[in-house]
């Protein structure tokens, strides 16, 4: 864990040096204004400084939790709490829920100063934050309530599956998580997302007609087209799609509509998103996640009965949840390698989706839209190649513009 911290800090230092460069990349000269570049540079450096502090505090806390055996101590205290309130501490499900409740409160308290500073200092300083303190805490309370409602049945099911899974435990766990992911992907946009944002149908007009015409030409089963009030919290912009089979929906941030005055730029961004659907990127990503989940549970089944492993972390018993936590700690390097591989695939998908939009005739509009999003979101203009290769799921703007322009050069 500490070695990964030093490695990623080295990459962060490389990126910080790139952010301090006083000039735009040559590809962006004349494309991005100097004023926007200076604002982007200031915003990126502020976030970088904050990131160094946050990561340093996080590694200190995580190391202290392991070195001073806080987890086994907290596990025993959560059992004592159950006895205090008259519940059975020998019941692993109740014990686990008591433990998780304490962990959730601890996480909220320790992360709160960083969240407040990020939102109300950094984001506000650069003109992005639009939410009030009340809205911030209201969202946090809603999130905790959702965790309290959804967490117990999910955790209980996992514990029961592990206790009774036998030799096919990994398959049973994977099947449960597979069904759960489908249920959550179905319920989240319909029941959970509206608790935090307001979704309204995109008004009739030229923009709606163009998006519907594009979707129809690609045989995309568009059922609903929404605008979400992202501006109530931030001026960052985005667009996304979701849904299964013939019940697809597209969501535009109201900030995207405000920032892109030209409808063609928005339609080009949607063409890019539809490219992911047409090229089956979403399906491939979903399959990859399912395979990795199955492999992860397979690895967990190999170590879950290791008494020595639990003892090395300070535990005399072998609770299911603790086994999962310990396993996560032991495979940290592998998780980072997998994440790196997924980022490589994701960046390849982004280039393919850009090329798809280009073939539809949206090259210039997509180029303008990407530049507009980069400017309005004050995204980093200068990026270190090692840092971006390791962390970025989307290619830097310079690379995307070069890829969009390259076919034009070949055609000439």
């Amino acid at each position: 864990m500490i070695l990964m911290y030093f490695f990623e800090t080295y990459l962060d230092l490389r990126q910080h040096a790139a952010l301090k460069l006083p000039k735009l990349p040559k590809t962006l000269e004349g494309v991005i204004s100097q004023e926007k570049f200076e604002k982007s540079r200031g915003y990126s450096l502020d976030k970088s400084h904050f990131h160094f502090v946050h990561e340093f505090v996080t590694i200190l806390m995580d190391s202290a939790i392991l070195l001073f055996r806080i987890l086994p101590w907290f596990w025993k205290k959560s059992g004592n709490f159950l006895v205090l309130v008259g519940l059975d501490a020998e019941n692993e499900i109740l014990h686990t829920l008591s433990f998780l409740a304490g962990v959730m409160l601890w996480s909220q308290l320790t992360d709160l100063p960083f969240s407040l500073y990020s939102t109300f200092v950094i984001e506000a300083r650069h003109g992005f934050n639009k939410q009030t303190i009340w809205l911030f805490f209201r969202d946090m309370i809603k999130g905790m309530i959702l965790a309290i409602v959804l967490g117990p049945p999910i955790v209980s099911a996992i514990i029961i599956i592990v206790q009774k899974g036998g030799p096919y435990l990994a398959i049973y766990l994977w099947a449960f998580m597979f069904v759960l992911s489908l249920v959550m992907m179905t319920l989240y946009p319909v029941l959970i997302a509206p608790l935090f944002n307001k979704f309204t149908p995109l008004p009739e007009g030229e923009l709606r007609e163009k998006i519907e015409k594009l979707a129809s030409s690609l045989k995309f089963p568009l059922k609903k087209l929404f605008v979400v009030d992202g501006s109530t919290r931030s001026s960052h912009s985005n667009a996304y799609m979701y849904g299964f089979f013939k019940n697809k929906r597209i969501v535009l941030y109201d900030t995207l509509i405000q920032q892109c005055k030209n409808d063609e730029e928005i339609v080009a961004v949607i063409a890019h998103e539809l490219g992911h659907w047409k090229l089956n990127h979403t399906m491939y990503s979903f399959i990859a996640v399912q395979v990795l989940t199955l492999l992860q549970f397979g690895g967990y089944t190999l170590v879950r009965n290791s008494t020595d492993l639990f003892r090395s972390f300070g535990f005399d018993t072998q609770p299911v949840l603790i086994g999962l936590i310990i396993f996560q700690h032991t495979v940290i390097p592998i998780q980072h390698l997998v994440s790196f591989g997924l980022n490589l695939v994701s960046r390849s998908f982004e280039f393919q989706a850009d090329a798809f939009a280009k073939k539809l005739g949206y090259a210039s509009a997509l180029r303008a839209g990407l530049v507009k999003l980069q400017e309005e979101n004050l995204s980093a203009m200068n990026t270190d190649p090692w840092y971006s290769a390791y962390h970025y799921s989307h290619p830097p703007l310079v690379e995307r513009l070069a890829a969009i322009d390259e076919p034009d050069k070949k055609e000439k």
Side-chain angles (χ1 to χ4, degrees):
M1 187 172 68
I2 293 173
L3 285 174
M4 290 305 304
Y5 167 74
F6 281 124
F7 170 69
E8 292 186 348
T9 299
Y10 167 69
L11 294 181
D12 292 339
L13 288 169
R14 289 180 61 97
Q15 175 66 2
H16 192 79
L19 295 175
K20 292 174 71 175
L21 294 174
K23 293 183 178 180
L24 277 163
K26 289 186 177 180
T27 309
L28 300 182
E29 289 179 358
V31 177
I32 303 290
S33 69
Q34 188 64 28
E35 179 187 3
K36 285 291 185 181
F37 170 64
E38 292 298 336
K39 288 181 178 180
S40 163
R41 187 165 168 262
Y43 178 52
S44 297
L45 285 172
D46 274 358
K47 289 198 300 179
S48 180
H49 286 123
F50 174 75
H51 177 75
F52 282 119
V53 175
H54 187 223
E55 290 303 300
F56 179 69
V57 173
T58 299
I59 192 64
L60 284 181
M61 290 176 58
D62 290 348
S63 299
I65 287 171
L66 290 177
L67 290 173
F68 296 106
R69 302 199 168 189
I70 302 299
L71 284 178
W73 173 83
F74 200 73
W75 177 259
K76 291 179 181 178
K77 291 298 180 182
S78 61
N80 294 340
F81 173 76
L82 287 177
V83 174
L84 186 64
V85 297
L87 296 175
D88 182 13
E90 296 301 316
N91 185 311
E92 186 174 343
I93 291 177
L94 291 178
H95 199 158
T96 300
L97 294 176
S98 174
F99 175 81
L100 285 176
V103 169
M104 182 176 70
L105 288 174
W106 169 256
S107 299
Q108 291 288 352
L109 288 173
T110 53
D111 192 56
L112 184 59
F114 296 104
S115 296
L116 287 171
Y117 187 86
S118 175
T119 302
F120 294 100
V121 177
I122 295 179
E123 295 294 307
R125 179 186 297 161
H126 296 278
F128 287 118
N129 179 51
K130 302 300 179 183
Q131 63 181 321
T132 62
I133 284 285
W134 158 244
L135 183 57
F136 176 89
F137 280 104
R138 191 179 71 178
D139 284 351
M140 186 177 75
I141 293 170
K142 285 181 180 179
M144 293 177 69
I145 293 173
L146 281 172
I148 293 170
V149 172
L150 299 177
I154 295 173
V155 171
S156 300
I158 290 173
I159 292 174
I160 292 171
I161 290 171
V162 172
Q163 290 175 341
K164 302 183 182 296
Y168 299 105
L169 167 61
I171 295 176
Y172 294 149
L173 274 175
W174 168 80
F176 172 73
M177 296 306 296
F178 175 75
V179 173
L180 179 64
S181 64
L182 293 180
V183 171
M184 291 305 296
M185 283 191 291
T186 302
L187 296 182
Y188 179 82
V190 178
L191 299 178
I192 299 177
L195 295 175
F196 298 90
N197 289 99
K198 183 179 179 181
F199 293 80
T200 55
L202 180 66
E204 295 293 336
E206 190 175 348
L207 176 59
R208 185 182 184 94
E209 290 175 3
K210 288 180 178 179
I211 294 175
E212 290 177 340
K213 182 179 179 181
L214 172 63
S216 177
S217 69
L218 298 173
K219 297 183 180 179
F220 178 77
L222 177 62
K223 292 298 182 183
K224 293 185 179 180
L225 188 52
F226 289 119
V227 177
V228 61
D229 63 337
S231 59
T232 58
R233 288 167 176 78
S234 172
S235 58
H236 288 295
S237 55
N238 202 354
Y240 64 92
M241 62 182 182
Y242 64 92
F244 292 111
F245 307 114
K246 295 187 179 297
N247 187 29
K248 303 288 188 181
R249 306 179 183 192
I250 294 176
V251 177
L252 305 175
Y253 277 59
D254 56 355
T255 47
L256 177 66
I257 297 174
Q258 295 163 9
Q259 292 167 4
C260 294
K261 303 301 181 182
N262 185 342
D263 286 351
E264 285 299 310
E265 295 175 6
I266 300 175
V267 177
V269 172
I270 299 301
H272 166 93
E273 295 300 327
L274 293 180
H276 286 304
W277 168 78
K278 195 71 173 179
L279 299 170
N280 295 315
H281 293 164
T282 304
M283 182 184 71
Y284 294 147
S285 298
F286 184 76
I287 292 173
V289 169
Q290 297 310 312
V291 170
L292 291 171
T293 301
L294 181 58
L295 291 174
Q296 189 175 38
F297 285 139
Y300 165 68
T301 60
L302 296 176
V303 302
R304 73 183 186 89
N305 292 319
S306 173
T307 304
D308 290 339
L309 183 61
F310 278 84
R311 285 178 178 172
S312 70
F313 280 80
F315 288 90
D316 298 324
T317 57
Q318 297 176 233
V320 170
L321 177 74
I322 299 302
L324 288 168
I325 293 174
I326 290 174
F327 178 72
Q328 292 296 322
H329 276 90
T330 58
V331 297
I332 283 176
I334 297 176
Q335 288 177 330
H336 284 271
L337 284 174
V338 170
S339 177
F340 171 66
L342 290 176
N343 280 342
L344 288 177
V345 174
S346 176
R347 285 198 297 275
S348 174
F349 285 170
E350 292 302 316
F351 282 126
Q352 291 175 28
D354 284 347
F356 180 84
K358 160 74 167 99
K359 289 179 181 178
L360 294 177
Y362 291 103
S364 59
L366 179 62
R367 200 179 195 283
L370 291 176
V371 170
K372 177 65 70 173
L373 289 173
Q374 185 88 359
E375 284 185 326
E376 297 301 327
N377 289 315
L378 297 183
S379 301
M381 306 295 176
N382 289 299
T383 56
D384 176 75
W386 288 22
Y387 179 91
S388 62
Y390 182 78
H391 283 291
Y392 284 10
S393 61
H394 286 54
L397 179 63
V398 170
E399 295 180 18
R400 294 183 72 175
L401 295 184
I404 291 172
D405 292 342
E406 189 175 347
D408 290 333
K409 295 176 182 177
K410 286 182 179 180
E411 289 170 11
K412 292 177 183 178

